[in-house]
Amino acid sequence: DGIRDTSVTGVQACALPILLVTTAHAAPGVQGDWHGTFYRLTLTGLGPRDGTLSLLPGGTGADLRFTAALPTLTRTVPTAQDQIQISVKGQAVQIRSAQGRPLRVNLMSVRAGVEGPTRFTAIDLYPEEAWTTYDPVPVTPCRAPVPVPELPYQPPRFASGPVGFYLAQIDPRSGTPLRVIANDPDRLYPLASTFKQIVLWGTLRDVAAGRLTLNTRLSVTEANRSIESYQPGARTVQNLATQAIVQSENTASDVLHLRYGPGRLQALVTAQGACHTRVDTTTKAWWAAQAGLLSSVYGPDVNAGAQQAFSLPPTGEAQIRAQAVQQAQTLNADRLLDHLDRAFFSPTYHPQTEVYLQNRSTPREWAALITRLYLDPSLTASTRAFLRDTLAQGCCRVKDPVVAYWGSKAGSGWRNVTMSGLLTLTTGQTFVYAYFNPGSDVIDSPHIERQLPDIARYVLDNARRLGGGAP
């Protein structure tokens, strides 16, 4: 789907089964040990597609079934408040909380370089007391919202953790909200890759103003690479913009972001009245900070240092973020990715830190920015068409005949998924939306991305409900 923010290894913690296939020929083996705050069952001789995982109702355990038989293992693992009962027999693995407490069970393939020289399959068990939660940060709206009719919020059944949501039917000419559905619209959430829409917007404003053309070539090298795959060479603005949205290429986004200027992009957003939104950090900078590679900026304790920077006045925080962007450019992307993997698996990881380090917004502010992006009078007819066409190639358009236009950019990361954009129905009704879900029980990016079709359908169903049509 091309929206991944990291290439961290796959973890699964949802009720949907995941098919696994044996990829190794060695006899399967199993062993268990603590890894900081979680207990890991290491399965050797098995590949990342070798069975299924199903969580028990209430999340108090899990059953796993493998195509190959495992050595018999019975173990009771004491935790601070509970005991984890583990039974491995034949092709079945049973995991239970002895006291019926919440127990996160995640199945993953651990990539080379993180835990050892080879890839292996692991089952990670997080006791209740080891599981960290995200607490959305409340803020006062920059401007008092104009009262509009509001329909009751209906939470998505597929999601876990906090969900920030704002969906507004707007006047397609003025952008004025006509009616809304919202949940926690004035709390801060990390944006992940959905922020790349603003990078596209700023870039096209420069094209419209004659500062760039879509054929302007910008140099992409190993030196300015962000994490994940990228295309080196002299690439056009058109190519970079398309790949930043369609494939969510972090390097493409960062090259355009740096060309426009992170501080200048922040000024553009602030001028729209989005006083709580931050878009002045490149992907490489926030990943480097989370990986603990910017200790000269955030100090030796990244969680504490990030929170301290977040509490500074806007100008002070902007200086810290500018330093992070500059220093991140000196880092090797492969080394960064390895450290990032380790940071996500470490006991020090906390989802709260992401809102301090990443670009961020509130659902209400972000939806308003999406509206302004589409209606910006400074764009020419050609740049506006390019913007709409590019975002129409973004993630997860619902194949439904009621959809006339679907513009979107999604994002994902460790326990985090986002999606925002604009859609128009064949009735002519137009809607903007922002969906943020950090602190999910589903851990790794490839697996939480499987919710994206559900999120898109959830947005469309609510748009039809808001517009007066049956979902």
Side-chain angles (χ1 to χ4, degrees):
D1 47 40
I3 62 96
R4 294 187 58 195
D5 285 326
T6 77
S7 58
V8 206
T9 53
V11 183
Q12 172 64 22
C14 65
L16 296 176
I18 297 180
L19 298 179
L20 302 163
V21 199
T22 301
T23 56
H25 299 289
V30 59
Q31 60 184 18
D33 201 1
W34 283 100
H35 284 245
T37 58
F38 62 90
Y39 190 84
R40 167 169 289 176
L41 289 174
T42 300
L43 309 180
T44 57
L46 296 174
R49 302 187 174 184
D50 194 40
T52 58
L53 163 68
S54 297
L55 296 184
L56 296 182
T60 60
D63 291 324
L64 300 97
R65 183 87 181 170
F66 292 89
T67 56
L70 293 163
T72 300
L73 174 69
T74 302
R75 186 165 296 179
T76 299
V77 180
T79 71
Q81 302 177 18
D82 197 1
Q83 289 183 329
I84 303 175
Q85 298 171 338
I86 302 170
S87 173
V88 182
K89 187 175 181 179
Q91 296 170 282
V93 179
Q94 285 188 343
I95 299 165
R96 300 288 187 271
S97 160
Q99 297 183 19
R101 291 177 176 270
L103 178 65
R104 272 72 176 189
V105 181
N106 303 292
L107 181 64
M108 74 184 74
S109 172
V110 178
R111 76 174 182 86
V114 177
E115 297 289 349
T118 59
R119 185 182 292 273
F120 59 88
T121 298
I123 305 170
D124 285 350
L125 318 176
Y126 289 81
E128 181 181 23
E129 63 272 13
W131 192 250
T132 52
T133 58
Y134 178 74
D135 184 18
V137 181
V139 294
T140 302
C142 311
R143 300 170 182 170
V146 177
V148 295
E150 185 168 346
L151 269 64
Y153 168 72
Q154 297 175 353
R157 297 179 180 178
F158 53 83
S160 58
V163 174
F165 184 64
Y166 187 87
L167 172 74
Q169 182 183 354
I170 62 170
D171 182 305
R173 292 181 178 82
S174 68
T176 303
L178 304 176
R179 54 182 67 87
V180 303
I181 297 173
N183 184 61
D184 284 343
D186 301 311
R187 291 176 181 263
L188 289 175
Y189 292 86
L191 292 169
S193 278
T194 200
F195 99 96
K196 293 172 185 175
Q197 292 171 97
I198 303 301
V199 175
L200 173 65
W201 182 26
T203 299
L204 293 180
R205 284 172 62 94
D206 269 1
V207 172
R211 300 185 186 95
L212 288 172
T213 73
L214 290 177
N215 292 321
T216 300
R217 292 186 176 272
L218 301 178
S219 178
V220 180
T221 68
E222 182 64 29
N224 61 11
R225 172 191 172 195
S226 182
I227 63 171
E228 294 194 301
S229 61
Y230 78 115
Q231 302 173 19
R235 295 169 58 183
T236 65
V237 167
Q238 179 172 347
N239 171 267
L240 292 167
T242 301
Q243 295 305 306
I245 300 300
V246 179
Q247 298 299 327
S248 201
E249 185 192 322
N250 289 319
T251 298
S253 175
D254 281 6
V255 169
L256 293 176
H257 199 171
L258 291 167
R259 174 61 183 253
Y260 189 87
R264 185 169 163 239
L265 193 66
Q266 182 59 53
L268 169 63
V269 163
T270 303
Q272 311 305 313
C275 63
H276 299 296
T277 299
R278 297 292 178 268
V279 293
D280 53 356
T281 303
T282 59
T283 69
K284 192 174 185 179
W286 86 58
W287 294 132
Q290 285 191 245
L293 295 177
L294 298 182
S295 57
S296 61
V297 179
Y298 290 102
D301 184 337
V302 65
N303 294 321
Q307 185 173 13
Q308 183 178 9
F310 173 80
S311 66
L312 292 173
T315 53
E317 187 190 18
Q319 292 175 357
I320 295 292
R321 286 173 165 251
Q323 293 175 27
V325 169
Q326 182 178 12
Q327 293 198 22
Q329 289 302 108
T330 67
L331 299 176
N332 174 269
D334 291 325
R335 174 173 175 262
L336 166 55
L337 180 58
D338 187 63
H339 279 73
L340 186 62
D341 279 342
R342 295 176 187 274
F344 282 140
F345 282 109
S346 78
T348 61
Y349 168 77
H350 200 296
Q352 201 72 26
T353 300
E354 295 188 338
V355 78
Y356 306 146
L357 294 176
Q358 293 191 17
N359 296 315
R360 62 178 184 257
S361 189
T362 71
R364 191 193 307 272
E365 277 194 13
W366 195 249
L369 282 169
I370 297 300
T371 302
R372 292 175 182 271
L373 174 156
Y374 275 91
L375 300 181
D376 184 357
S378 74
L379 296 180
T380 62
S382 61
T383 53
R384 180 174 293 105
F386 181 81
L387 181 143
R388 289 180 62 89
D389 291 347
T390 302
L391 291 174
Q393 299 176 65
C395 174
C396 310
R397 174 176 176 147
V398 180
K399 295 181 179 179
D400 192 303
V402 303
V403 177
Y405 175 81
W406 182 281
S408 178
K409 181 69 191 81
S412 70
W414 195 251
R415 297 177 60 187
N416 185 24
V417 64
T418 64
M419 187 189 294
S420 63
L422 178 143
L423 70 104
T424 301
L425 304 184
T426 52
T427 58
Q429 295 169 308
T430 299
F431 305 83
V432 291
Y433 63 91
Y435 179 100
F436 304 141
N437 180 207
S440 170
D441 287 358
V442 183
I443 295 187
D444 188 33
S445 176
H447 296 294
I448 200 167
E449 286 174 14
R450 296 180 186 185
Q451 293 182 3
L452 290 171
D454 291 328
I455 296 170
R457 171 54 69 176
Y458 175 78
V459 169
L460 178 57
D461 286 349
N462 277 279
R464 296 181 68 184
R465 184 163 69 96
L466 193 62

